[in-house]
Amino acid sequence: MMAELKVSGITFAYEEAPILENVNIELHEHELVSILGASGCGKTTLFHIISGLHKPQQGKVVLNGKDITGCPGQISYMMQKDLLLPYRTIEDNVSLPLVLKGEKKRKAREKVSLYFEEFGLEGTQKKYPCQLSGGMRQRAALLRTYMFSRDVALLDEPFSALDTLTKSEMHRWYLDVMDKIHLSTLFITHDIDEAILLSDRIYLLTGKPGRVTEEIIIKEPKPRKKEFNLTEEFLEYKRRILERL
Amino acid sequence: MKRKSPNITSKLLPVTAVFLLLAIWQAASSAGVIPGFLLPSPLEVAMAFAEDFPLLMENARVTLLEAFIGLAAGILIGFVTAVLMDCFEWLYRAVYPLIVLTQTVPTVAIAPLLVLWFGYEMLPKVILIVIVTFFPITVSLLDGFRAADKDTISLLRSMGASKAQIFRYVKFPGALGAFFASLRISVSYAVVGAVISEWLGGFNGLGVYMTRVKKAFSFDKMFAVIFLISAISLLLMWSVNVLQKVSMPWEEENR
């Protein structure tokens, strides 16, 4: 399998304080890979570097063989907050990436309208973000991320602000959508259960400055049932991760 | 979904208060507590208003024209200044104190100078209105631009947005609320600014009318024109509210 995204030897310091040291990450086609680590270990900084918002002192970000280090606008990035613009309707929020690329407003609306059902957002097109629940806003933000690029998406703790019940509902929804759209995804989380449930592989990012200390492969085939997190294998993965964190 | 009844009661109270005040005033005048040459009764004011109606309208037209031209120029200058100051940090630091300084100069003091420099026609009046109206616009827009969410800007940058696109899709719409708040202030400043500049030199306008009736000691007409100016300001502020509702439909939904 050909590597789609290759992050190699990333070292980054902010005002003399080292944040990341020699981080290597690979993301293959249609894979979901989690980066698991405690708060403050540089996960979000790593995403800022991969998306091109920050330039690392050392290391390279290569997407499909092209060096994109420090060039924004190549990879979809969904941040922790949904960041939907309060003054745009959901359809206009979702079509923003297309409009930014020079697409006409009406054409962009037409294109995004095809995905509303798939993402469980039907009927929200003309609504404003404040009229939607947290889970629905997250879905809209994810659809916007998907509209930007079908290759690789970075998701920074997309479900962390939701309550437990909404969160597990979103997990089920997410696994379901991913099964249909096959997005290659890098996923930040500090929730071990979430990482095991959703990922094909997990990188553990620990220490200060942050380093990748372990790579764990989750062998459970997809699509996964939600009962997976009650099985013995699941607990075995969890035990292994807890030992190393 | 519209809640109607609280709206009616909320308007009922101030309207009653105004009518009560007018009634007390009328009663005091009729009973001879206040002599008519010092303070005319509301009825006398209303009669003076009716009598001079064509003249008042003719003068109001001139004043409103000045106010609109001045306000439009003020908004344009305020907008451009705010955008430039948001783009260039050095310009912000250099110009901001100067802009504040323009507001500390009393309007009444510079109006005669403007007349001296630019004559009795419309130009000095428009300049004065620009000076008083651009400030609230500049400051509020600038604050609005600077308050734009950093994460949202990062998100748009990650989508490859240019500076101009970030302005158009994040900063500008985000500053609209602050802009309308300042526009409400600026429209009333514009009308008052026009009247003040007309006091100090001019051929027609509500300010000129005011100085004339004052010299003739026609206090009933004086009050008539004061009420007219208030009414015009209120009407303009209300128009700004309507304009805001039309151009910010999401605010309605947020309620």
Side-chain angles (χ1 to χ4, degrees):
Chain A
M1 201 186 276
M2 185 192 145
E4 280 215 294
L5 179 72
K6 208 166 175 176
V7 178
S8 47
I10 296 289
T11 298
F12 183 81
Y14 182 72
E15 287 175 353
E16 311 272 300
I19 294 174
L20 294 168
E21 197 179 82
N22 193 25
V23 174
N24 296 292
I25 280 172
E26 272 184 37
L27 177 68
H28 307 290
E29 216 171 332
H30 303 335
E31 233 186 351
L32 194 150
V33 172
S34 285
I35 295 164
L36 184 63
S39 319
C41 68
K43 298 184 300 257
T44 299
T45 309
L46 180 62
F47 269 24
H48 269 55
I49 290 168
I50 297 174
S51 68
L53 291 174
H54 290 342
K55 227 182 151 124
Q57 275 88 18
Q58 278 173 44
K60 272 198 301 192
V61 180
V62 178
L63 178 67
N64 295 329
K66 197 176 131 207
D67 188 346
I68 58 158
T69 319
C71 307
Q74 311 289 323
I75 293 179
S76 299
Y77 187 4
M78 176 172 163
M79 299 191 189
Q80 237 164 5
K81 290 180 278 175
D82 60 62
L83 299 179
L84 295 169
L85 302 172
Y87 37 79
R88 289 173 87 87
T89 56
I90 296 299
E91 66 175 353
D92 285 345
N93 260 297
V94 171
S95 52
L96 185 66
L98 301 177
V99 173
L100 288 176
K101 283 180 187 168
E103 195 97 53
K104 288 268 174 298
K105 197 171 170 181
R106 188 194 305 204
K107 200 84 197 264
R109 279 182 182 168
E110 258 170 48
K111 278 192 182 169
V112 299
S113 69
L114 304 172
Y115 295 93
F116 270 74
E117 206 190 318
E118 206 157 3
F119 277 72
L121 282 164
E122 54 282 81
T124 61
Q125 278 93 330
K126 304 283 174 206
K127 291 204 164 135
Y128 287 100
C130 61
Q131 296 170 298
L132 263 56
S133 66
M136 291 298 263
R137 291 167 64 116
Q138 240 26 54
R139 288 180 193 203
L142 191 74
L143 177 53
R144 177 181 59 188
T145 312
Y146 181 60
M147 292 319 297
F148 178 75
S149 154
R150 315 281 164 84
D151 294 345
V152 174
L154 310 176
L155 308 185
D156 186 351
E157 303 199 0
F159 309 130
S160 66
L162 303 171
D163 60 89
T164 324
L165 288 177
T166 316
K167 197 170 176 175
S168 76
E169 186 201 319
M170 287 296 283
H171 285 155
R172 241 170 300 149
W173 167 83
Y174 185 75
L175 287 171
D176 191 40
V177 171
M178 279 304 126
D179 195 41
K180 282 183 261 178
I181 64 174
H182 302 301
L183 189 66
S184 315
T185 313
L186 261 187
F187 193 98
I188 286 182
T189 182
H190 58 241
D191 180 336
I192 300 173
D193 289 29
E194 182 175 81
I196 302 171
L197 181 66
L198 300 178
S199 317
D200 297 301
R201 281 186 296 127
I202 299 173
Y203 287 107
L204 299 187
L205 190 68
T206 51
K208 219 168 180 101
R211 290 188 196 93
V212 172
T213 46
E214 182 88 25
E215 183 187 340
I216 293 160
I217 299 168
I218 310 289
K219 295 206 177 77
E220 179 76 10
K222 286 187 167 180
R224 285 176 195 156
K225 303 266 183 308
K226 66 166 175 161
E227 291 79 21
F228 173 49
N229 57 7
L230 300 172
T231 60
E232 196 54 48
E233 295 122 288
F234 186 94
L235 286 176
E236 185 50 44
Y237 286 125
K238 193 167 177 177
R239 209 170 288 135
R240 234 176 97 191
I241 292 169
L242 280 170
E243 265 167 31
R244 277 157 178 96
L245 276 178
Chain B
M1 294 289 275
K2 291 256 154 79
R3 294 162 300 159
K4 250 200 168 131
S5 50
N7 209 3
I8 288 173
T9 38
S10 74
K11 273 178 186 154
L12 202 65
L13 217 57
V15 169
T16 319
V18 168
F19 273 99
L20 201 67
L21 201 67
L22 284 174
I24 292 170
W25 179 3
Q26 181 65 43
S29 296
S30 304
V33 180
I34 314 165
F37 64 89
L38 280 184
L39 184 70
S41 76
L43 273 179
E44 283 169 323
V45 173
M47 261 142 58
F49 183 82
E51 192 188 318
D52 260 10
F53 186 73
L55 200 58
L56 279 169
M57 286 303 115
E58 174 58 29
N59 284 308
R61 198 182 60 79
V62 176
T63 304
L64 271 177
L65 187 66
E66 290 162 1
F68 274 128
I69 296 175
L71 183 64
I75 292 172
L76 193 70
I77 293 172
F79 183 80
V80 172
T81 316
V83 171
L84 289 176
M85 280 165 76
D86 183 60
C87 283
F88 306 107
E89 181 65 28
W90 58 269
L91 192 71
Y92 174 83
R93 273 183 291 164
V95 176
Y96 198 83
L98 274 178
I99 289 179
V100 175
L101 205 66
T102 62
Q103 299 309 299
T104 59
V105 180
T107 328
V108 191
I110 44 169
L113 281 176
L114 291 173
V115 171
L116 198 66
W117 294 335
F118 303 106
Y120 287 93
E121 295 298 330
M122 199 175 265
L123 187 62
K125 296 161 182 97
V126 169
I127 291 174
L128 189 89
I129 296 167
V130 169
I131 293 174
V132 292
T133 55
F134 92 98
F135 179 74
I137 305 272
T138 307
V139 171
S140 65
L141 274 177
L142 201 56
D143 285 349
F145 295 157
R146 298 195 143 220
D149 182 56
K150 298 273 176 301
D151 288 340
T152 308
I153 293 176
S154 289
L155 177 75
L156 262 80
R157 273 185 56 216
S158 84
M159 291 179 184
S162 65
K163 267 193 155 184
Q165 283 177 321
I166 288 173
F167 179 80
R168 181 171 164 198
Y169 294 110
V170 181
K171 290 189 169 185
F172 179 66
L176 269 181
F179 169 73
F180 279 108
S182 67
L183 190 59
R184 263 192 290 280
I185 299 171
S186 284
V187 287
S188 57
Y189 277 14
V191 176
V192 173
V195 171
I196 290 178
S197 62
E198 283 164 357
W199 280 351
L200 298 152
F203 304 113
N204 36 30
L206 290 175
V208 176
Y209 176 91
M210 216 178 206
T211 33
R212 276 192 206 136
V213 295
K214 194 182 80 184
K215 278 179 191 152
F217 295 102
S218 318
F219 285 161
D220 50 348
K221 289 181 180 171
M222 184 84 175
F223 273 96
V225 70
I226 290 174
F227 279 122
L228 180 62
I229 291 168
S230 286
I232 289 174
S233 289
L234 282 176
L235 197 69
L236 289 177
M237 282 157 99
W238 174 79
S239 322
V240 172
N241 282 344
V242 173
L243 193 66
Q244 178 169 20
K245 273 188 185 152
V246 173
S247 42
M248 299 173 74
W250 59 90
E251 285 289 310
E252 280 298 287
E253 306 291 342
N254 280 4
R255 257 156 244 237

